[in-house]
Amino acid sequence: VQLQASGGGSAQAGDSLRLSCATSGRTFSGYDVGWFRQAPGKEREFVAAIRKNGSNTYYTNTVRGRFTISRDNAKTTVYLQMNGLKPEDTAVYYCAAGARIILSNIQNPRAYDYWGQGTLVTVSS
């Protein structure tokens, strides 16, 4: 599975951006997909995840209510709609996919098998 993240850019606080994670392969619907981010000097952290069929979504507390993860299995794409952006959302955002991720590992980057190259989001105040 190859992942291609896009949609990053510069934004002002309060603005919105939508990230896309496009995948190749006909088995995309068989993977859970997560978004992670890494700010300069910090560890990679979990942002959001969505189950294979879109039935369940998960968010870290700092983005819940502002970000929405969704997927279109027909288009083999996962989206991260980011509203109400804050300067602390500034980071490189990565999408990742995993075939069998138990709930307790949904926020663990090591549970994901495939990673995209990242897209930079910069939010200024």
Side-chain angles (χ1 to χ4, degrees):
V1 176
Q2 293 184 327
L3 306 175
Q4 179 79 28
S6 63
S10 298
Q12 298 285 327
D15 284 351
S16 298
L17 285 175
R18 188 176 79 158
L19 305 184
S20 297
C21 178
T23 68
S24 63
R26 292 171 290 180
T27 59
F28 170 70
S29 60
Y31 290 86
D32 300 325
V33 177
W35 284 96
F36 292 78
R37 65 187 181 187
Q38 188 165 17
K42 295 187 177 181
E43 293 186 354
R44 190 168 299 189
E45 66 171 354
F46 170 80
V47 177
I50 187 166
R51 289 299 191 183
K52 300 173 178 60
N53 59 3
S55 59
N56 294 90
T57 57
Y58 310 92
Y59 299 91
T60 190
N61 288 338
T62 55
V63 308
R64 186 175 289 113
R66 298 189 297 124
F67 291 10
T68 303
I69 189 171
S70 62
R71 69 190 295 161
D72 185 336
N73 284 341
K75 296 182 178 179
T76 64
T77 302
V78 171
Y79 304 98
L80 185 67
Q81 177 67 43
M82 306 186 296
N83 299 330
L85 284 165
K86 302 176 180 181
E88 50 264 43
D89 295 320
T90 295
V92 177
Y93 283 71
Y94 300 89
C95 60
R100 301 180 186 87
I101 303 177
I102 60 175
L103 181 56
S104 59
N105 278 342
I106 201 72
Q107 298 190 22
N108 185 351
R110 289 177 291 180
Y112 294 76
D113 303 308
Y114 305 97
W115 289 82
Q117 84 292 357
T119 184
L120 176 62
V121 173
T122 304
V123 184
S124 57
S125 58

